[in-house]
Amino acid sequence: MKQMPIVALIGQTNAGKSSILNRFAHRNIAIVAREEGTTRDNVMARIDNRFLLIDTAGLKDPNDDFEAGIQDQIADAIESADLILLTLDSSKYPDDKDKQIAKNALKSRKPVFLLLNKSDLGESLPEEEFFRLGIKPEQTFRLSATTGQGFKDLKTAIFANLKTPTNTNHADDTLKLALIGRPNVGKSSLFNTLGQKQQALVSSRQGTTRDVNRVEIKYHGRTIEILDTAGLRKPGKREVGIEKFSALRTLAAIEEADICALLVDATEPHSKLDQSLAGQIIKAGKGIIVVITKADLVKDDFNTSTSDPQADEAADERQPKRTIDDILDKLEYDFNFLPYAPVLITSSETGQNVTKLFELATEIDTTRHLEIKTSELNKILSEAIIEHPPAGLKNTRPKLKYIVQTDICPPWFVVHGRDLGLLHWSYKRFLERKIREKFPFIGTPIMFSYRNDQPQSDRAGKPKTPNQDSADSHPAR
C-alpha cells in the first residue's frame, strides 16, 4: 500500500498556517503568535488517519532574503507533497510574492487549493481579488481557523483529490517494517541484504536515500514490506532544500509502519538524535527494535582470529577500541526508557543476524495485537495497590477502582477512579511495570489513560466538580 499522502501548507508568514494546522488536528500543535516567522521548523499532524498535514513554517526565513526562502520552500513542497494548500490572509490584497508562490505551485501540476484565511473578519476581501493568482474558483476556500468556517468543505475536497482510503490500516495482513536512523548508519545496506537484491543505492556519502524505498519479502508465509528511509540529522543541521522534506517522509514512514527498526552504528557513540528518534517511534505507538549495525567493524568475539598473527595484529590496529559489550552497556544507559525493546547485533557485510529481524518483527506484531481479559488486569491492579498504595495530598488520595483495555496496536489501557489528577508519574510507571511483569509486550509501547468517574454528591448535597481526565497518550491517535 502506498504511504499516507502529504498535504503541505505554504504561504507567507502570518497567513495563519499554524492556526489552520491546529484546527485540523483539534489541538495546539503549532505555536501561534502575531509575530511573523513564529514557527521555526516544519510541523506535522496526522489527520483522520488519511493524510499528513505539514506546516511549512512560512516561506521567508528571518535570516534569508526572499529569493532564498521562497524558492527552496516551494521546491520542497513540489518535490514531496501530494497536494498543496496555498494560504493567504483574506484581508490583504495579494502581492507579487503571493503571485510568485502561486505560479511556482501551479507549475508542479499537483493539486493546488487556495485558502483564504481569516474570512470571519469584517475587512475580508471578495474572492474576485484573488482570481489573478490563477487558481480555479472551485479550488478556492474561505476559511476561519478561529471559528472553523469552511473546514468541512475543505476536508471533503482534500479527500476527493487525494483519493485516500477511508482506513489506512492494511487488511492484507502485510507487516510493515521501517528502517529508521541517522545518515550513513547502514540502512540501505541492511535494506539490500534483507531484500536480497540491490534495490537501493548504497554509498558512503551521507544522505544518499532521499525518499522511502520499498521491497516486499515472504517470511514463513507472511508478507513483510520493508521501508528504507532517508537518514535524519538534527533539525538545525538539515539543509534548507529537499532534506527537510525527506525528513518529513521519514516521519511519515514511522506513522505508516507497524514496526520500526532503529539502527545504531556500532562504530559511533549514540547521540541524542538516536534517543529523539526512539521517542518519535514511541509517540506514534509503533513497535521498536534497536538494531546495532556494522558489528563486523568492532573488535569482539564475533570477529574470529585467523591463523596469521601479523594479520590479526594489523586488524586489531584498524578496529576501534570499543567492544560489543561496551556498546551494549552504553546502549542500556542511553535507552533506559526502552527496557522492553529487543536489541539485535547485525552486520550487513557478513549477514550476521539480519534474518532475525523478521523473527523479532513478527513476534512484536503478535504482542501488539494482544488483548488481556479485564479480570486479569484488575487482579494485577489490586496486587499493585496492596504492594504500593498510591500517595496523595494530606487528606486526599487517588482511588484506583478498575482498569480495562480499550485498544490494540498499540495496547491501550484506561484506569478508572477518583482524584487521579493527584497520581504521581512514578506510580504510573509502577503500574506499567506490573503489567509488563505478567505480559511483557516485547518491543511495543503500551498506552494509559486515567479517567475520573463522576463523583457522588458530597455531604452538603452539592455535587462535586469532577476532575478533568488525565491521560498518558501519544498524539498520533
Side-chain angles (χ1 to χ4, degrees), residues 1 5 48-50 162-168:
M1 176 179 287
D48 294 348
N49 282 336
R50 296 179 69 176
L162 293 177
K163 296 182 175 59
T164 57
T166 55
N167 190 344
T168 57

Side-chain angles (χ1 to χ4, degrees), residues 308-462:
D308 186 352
Q310 292 183 345
D312 288 343
E313 183 178 352
D316 287 345
E317 291 178 358
R318 289 195 305 269
Q319 289 173 339
K321 300 297 183 182
R322 304 171 75 210
T323 67
I324 291 294
D325 286 340
D326 294 334
I327 294 168
L328 291 175
D329 288 343
K330 189 172 189 309
L331 194 72
E332 184 178 0
Y333 179 81
D334 290 343
F335 292 86
N336 59 358
F337 58 95
L338 276 178
Y340 53 82
V343 178
L344 188 63
I345 302 170
T346 67
S347 167
S348 299
E349 186 70 25
T350 65
Q352 172 189 332
N353 286 339
V354 290
T355 55
K356 287 186 179 180
L357 189 60
F358 297 142
E359 181 182 340
L360 279 173
T362 53
E363 182 180 355
I364 292 172
D365 186 59
T366 300
T367 65
R368 281 168 53 79
H369 287 82
L370 181 62
E371 296 185 70
I372 306 176
K373 293 180 180 179
T374 301
S375 58
E376 295 185 69
L377 285 172
N378 282 288
K379 182 180 179 182
I380 295 173
L381 181 63
S382 299
E383 292 173 352
I385 294 172
I386 292 172
E387 178 183 339
H388 181 25
L393 299 179
K394 184 176 181 180
N395 297 319
T396 308
R397 283 191 176 187
K399 183 176 182 180
L400 284 62
K401 295 182 178 179
Y402 64 96
I403 181 173
V404 294
Q405 183 176 354
T406 59
D407 208 351
I408 59 172
C409 296
W412 198 304
F413 304 96
V414 178
V415 179
H416 291 258
R418 292 184 61 180
D419 297 312
L420 298 184
L422 301 176
L423 204 61
H424 196 266
W425 63 265
S426 60
Y427 198 85
K428 297 176 182 180
R429 292 271 185 92
F430 168 70
L431 289 180
E432 178 179 348
R433 224 169 29 246
K434 299 304 290 184
I435 290 178
R436 287 188 183 276
E437 286 176 5
K438 185 74 178 291
F439 303 95
F441 286 109
I442 180 173
T444 186
I446 57 178
M447 306 299 180
F448 288 83
S449 297
Y450 293 84
R451 185 167 300 165
N452 284 305
D453 293 337
Q454 186 73 23
Q456 301 294 327
S457 298
D458 61 14
R459 294 180 183 178
K462 294 175 63 178

Side-chain angles (χ1 to χ4, degrees), residues 58-78:
L59 289 173
K60 187 175 180 180
D61 185 53
N63 299 319
D64 294 333
D65 60 19
F66 169 70
E67 285 301 321
I70 186 173
Q71 299 300 335
D72 287 335
Q73 290 275 14
I74 283 289
D76 293 348
I78 289 172

Side-chain angles (χ1 to χ4, degrees), residues 296 298-307 311-312 315-316 319:
D296 57 297
V298 177
K299 178 183 168 116
D300 201 76
D301 293 337
F302 289 104
N303 301 319
T304 55
S305 300
T306 68
S307 57
D312 288 343
D316 287 345
Q319 289 173 339

Side-chain angles (χ1 to χ4, degrees), residues 74 77-79 81 84 102-112:
I74 283 289
I78 289 172
E79 179 70 25
I84 300 170
K103 180 180 178 181
N104 290 343
L106 290 168
K107 278 183 180 179
S108 70
R109 300 199 176 277
K110 295 183 179 181
V112 180

